[in-house]
Amino acid sequence: MINEPVVFVIDDDIDDQEIFGIALDRASKNANCVFANDGIHAIEKIKNDDSFIPDFIFLDMNMPRMDGSECLTELRKIPRLNHIPVYLYSTSLDAVGIDKSKSLGATDYIMKPSSIFELTDILKNIIKTKVFTALMIFFSISMIPQISSGQTDSISEINALKKLSVTELMNLTVTSVSRTPEKLTDVASAVQVLTRKDIIRSTASRLPGALRLVSNLQVAQGGSHDWGISSRGFNGAPIASSTLADKLLVMIDGRTVYTPLFGGVYWDVQNVLLEDLDRIEVISGPGGTLWGANAVNGVVNVISKDAKETQGIFASVASGTFAPGQAAVRYGSHVDSSVFFRVYGQRFVVGSSKFIDGTSARDEWHLSQGGFRMDANLSKRNHLTVQGDVYGGEEGDTLTSNMNGQNVPARFGHTISNTADISVQMYFDRAYRYFGSSRTSYVVNTADLEAQHRFVLKNKHRMLWGIGYRMLVDNIKAPNPTFTPASRTLDQINFYLQDRISIIDEKFDVTLGSKFLYNYYTGVELQPTIRFAWQFVNDNTLWAAVSRAVRTPSRFDTDVTSFTRVEHEKYVSEKVVANEIGYRFRPIQPMSISISTYLNYYTDLRTLDSTGSQLAPFVFGNNMNATTWGAELSATYIATNWWKIKVGYTYLNKKFEKTSPLVLQNHELIEGIDPANQFLIHSIMDLPKNFQLDLIGRYVDALPAESVTGLPTTPAYFELNARVAWEYKNLTISVNGNSLLSDHHTEFGRVLVKRSVTGKVMIRF
């Protein structure tokens, strides 16, 4: 037996990494498990650390960028690893694959089993004997039901044990900060990651509800289908669907989902099947250097699972006191060993809210959505993803009556070498909305094409550059035109360049970059950044950044018909210079903490200015500056092997300065109604007999009254959501309660958020 063996696991699936870590911990208390997120990451790690010599290597066959066979070939070229046993594994037994892997030098080829107990036994045998030549059945989270050998239910056991490891948190891979995979611990940015497990173990039924679990976001519900979501302030007043929040960039699988009408997000039509999400990455702070306009105060990147990870059937039905009908179904399969796909459909019906005076808000609504995703490994170096969604729904209030849309994104990735790759993404998106109160319809078609190239220069410079073009064509129809012209074609061209310079290997990095964005309204905009990351000891990263970002004008800012009747200054982009300092560390083994502070200077903020004309009494100007500062804290603590706790706190302070006497009094509250303090706690417990208890508590400070539109004060509140579930094999039954501490409360505007209870059944095959 080897003393304190080091096991190197190379797998792009975070869930599989977790399961492996759990099984290894049970197989050997002295073992040390080291993870790599794909083959390229593994080779980089080995080449950057000559002292790293694991005792065993476990290698997933199916990975993007570099598959198992390619990685094995590279591993066998490294002399100090020639004698190390390497086990390739996969979900299927392929005779050709087995022969090939052994010819490349694999010790054995393994099929993933369904039980973590079997995996534990396998690891025990390998570590104790260091000889294991039989064809083994390895671990699996496959959707295909299998009977474990006399043990308790494997899925429940796996789900319970998956909360054990805080290492998973430190090894999480994020891509939103630098547009390339990197460890969360190494990132020089205030980024939080919401895993699929966090989402499933909450009461969220839709995307905005899931974002409540991210403590660096301000999430407020303004009605049955309306939400205000922002980061570091500027959650615009709730005077239109989804409010006027316009400084947060939101993407779903790389597709930007903001509307050029007002630069914000219609959250009612941003629906994903939560079961199929891989993670949600949320950056608080500017992201304009790589992502462009509207990433002023943050970026939300919703990332779904590869089709190969969602094989089989999933179905769920739910009914509750506020949402009487919700149903979803998904089917995943494959054409062959390289082409995987899934199709899904979902529908929900949500009831009406009430105003604070007790009358009905008449905002009941329903929406149906379907879609697909296909992932194909075209060759060892080429990967293609094509996906799409179609949706349609109706809303009962007088503002918006119905909406529908379609989108088709496609991404192609080509791996050049271990440190270089090229990706090309394109998508088409159509969104239609009819505003019943004004009999106005709005349709926008978006075509987007972007290419990116990543490579390493002289072993010191991790270079990234890209170029993109986006065309938006909209058309507004109304009895009384509100926008002039009624139709516009908006072109955007962008180029970005970033260099991450390794000053001291794996200790100190400096990142320099900028985005150059051409837009229809203001021409060329620059969005530079400089970031520093210092890993002075393991799992401790001190970082700092200075960035400039802009929010380019929208149709709402420039084309309101009444504005054309008077002379006024040209509307320009809003700008921010953000200064950030953060520290991410692990004070004790089962705890990770992230702290960040910021000081932001905003100029040319949007204002509503008096004109003195009766034809157009007000126009939008850029006559306001602001200074904001604050702090964000998030922490995760693994209390026991059955209890995980996540907490978060944010503080925000704002000060506005008007630069013209024409600015409407108290206009700053239209641009941002934000709480000063927020606190979040999420407790995830696994109880005996396959029961689960999950609690989410939220405290939100009071919001001031807004006199321009007459919004009343929103009192501070503390609310509790709870989920009680019983999980047995492939079946999960849960009862979910939201806002349990009061019959109702207000979060944003005049609409009450009611207490609700929902029953839900999920099954997987």
Side-chain angles (χ1 to χ4, degrees), residues 219-511:
V219 181
Q221 188 167 4
S224 179
H225 48 67
D226 296 336
W227 298 77
I229 301 178
S230 67
S231 173
R232 297 185 177 176
F234 294 91
N235 217 356
I239 56 177
S241 294
S242 297
T243 81
L244 294 178
D246 55 14
K247 295 178 179 57
L248 181 70
L249 179 66
V250 181
M251 296 176 292
I252 298 177
D253 285 328
R255 176 175 55 91
T256 300
V257 297
Y258 83 96
T259 170
L261 185 65
F262 68 94
V265 176
Y266 283 118
W267 286 102
D268 51 354
V269 295
Q270 311 309 329
N271 294 288
V272 294
L273 191 60
L274 298 182
E275 175 73 16
D276 289 349
L277 289 186
D278 183 78
R279 64 189 186 277
I280 301 175
E281 299 178 7
V282 178
I283 301 171
S284 47
T289 299
L290 294 178
W291 299 110
N294 286 59
V296 175
N297 278 3
V299 177
V300 174
N301 196 2
V302 181
I303 302 168
S304 65
K305 282 184 173 292
D306 190 293
K308 77 172 184 177
E309 299 174 48
T310 54
Q311 297 292 282
I313 296 174
F314 165 80
S316 71
V317 294
S319 183
T321 56
F322 188 59
Q326 304 172 60
V329 62
R330 178 251 290 147
Y331 172 69
S333 186
H334 57 277
V335 177
D336 53 34
S337 60
S338 62
V339 180
F340 298 82
F341 69 88
R342 66 170 177 260
V343 294
Y344 80 96
Q346 60 176 334
R347 176 177 170 79
F348 50 83
V349 179
V350 184
S352 176
S353 305
K354 288 186 177 181
F355 289 117
I356 53 179
D357 62 6
T359 60
S360 173
R362 295 192 299 157
D363 59 354
E364 68 277 0
W365 66 301
H366 63 83
L367 187 138
S368 301
Q369 179 167 319
F372 72 97
R373 172 165 173 156
M374 184 276 293
D375 288 279
N377 293 315
L378 303 178
S379 68
K380 292 179 180 178
R381 295 183 179 274
N382 299 318
H383 185 87
L384 175 66
T385 299
V386 181
Q387 59 191 112
D389 305 282
V390 55
Y391 63 85
E394 290 186 277
E395 296 174 351
D397 58 3
T398 57
L399 186 60
T400 299
S401 295
N402 60 62
M403 58 281 184
N404 62 66
Q406 307 82 34
N407 64 78
V408 183
R411 289 179 298 283
F412 172 76
H414 172 67
T415 301
I416 301 172
S417 68
N418 295 345
T419 57
D421 56 44
I422 294 174
S423 64
V424 179
Q425 173 178 286
M426 61 185 76
Y427 67 79
F428 172 77
D429 186 301
R430 175 189 174 276
Y432 170 85
R433 184 172 289 263
Y434 178 74
F435 304 88
S437 58
S438 58
R439 291 182 293 161
T440 298
S441 66
Y442 169 69
V443 62
V444 58
N445 296 310
T446 303
D448 186 282
L449 173 64
E450 190 161 289
Q452 173 180 300
H453 179 206
R454 181 183 69 93
F455 62 98
V456 173
L457 185 65
K458 296 184 178 179
N459 293 325
K460 287 286 186 182
H461 300 266
R462 279 175 276 180
M463 306 294 297
L464 179 75
W465 69 276
I467 189 168
Y469 171 73
R470 179 178 302 164
M471 181 175 67
L472 304 101
V473 181
D474 65 10
N475 189 22
I476 302 170
K477 295 182 179 178
N480 299 307
T482 53
F483 288 83
T484 303
S487 178
R488 270 200 190 278
T489 298
L490 304 173
D491 296 305
Q492 289 184 7
I493 302 172
N494 73 83
F495 171 81
Y496 58 87
L497 175 66
Q498 178 174 283
D499 181 8
R500 182 166 179 170
I501 308 166
S502 178
I503 306 298
I504 304 174
D505 283 349
E506 298 191 357
K507 292 291 184 184
F508 187 68
D509 291 346
V510 177
T511 302

Side-chain angles (χ1 to χ4, degrees), residues 60-126:
D60 185 16
M61 278 294 292
N62 299 309
M63 295 184 292
R65 301 204 296 168
M66 175 185 283
D67 66 22
S69 297
E70 292 174 300
C71 185
L72 177 60
T73 301
E74 296 299 318
L75 289 172
R76 288 312 185 202
K77 294 178 181 177
I78 301 173
R80 72 176 192 275
L81 301 183
N82 278 340
H83 65 289
I84 304 300
V86 178
Y87 297 89
L88 282 162
Y89 59 87
S90 179
T91 54
S92 62
L93 287 174
D94 175 18
V96 175
I98 293 171
D99 292 340
K100 180 181 177 182
S101 65
K102 289 186 174 179
S103 69
L104 293 174
T107 306
D108 213 327
Y109 185 94
I110 301 166
M111 180 179 170
K112 300 177 180 180
S114 62
S115 168
I116 197 170
F117 300 101
E118 294 176 61
L119 172 61
T120 302
D121 291 341
I122 290 169
L123 293 177
K124 283 180 181 176
N125 288 331
I126 291 176

Side-chain angles (χ1 to χ4, degrees), residues 10 18 36 160 175 183 215 283-284 322 341 469 665 675 680 694 703 726:
I10 306 169
E18 295 173 10
T175 57
K183 281 179 63 179
S215 61
I283 301 171
S284 47
F322 188 59
F341 69 88
Y469 171 73
Q665 189 176 10
L680 172 75
D694 307 311
L703 303 179
W726 178 71

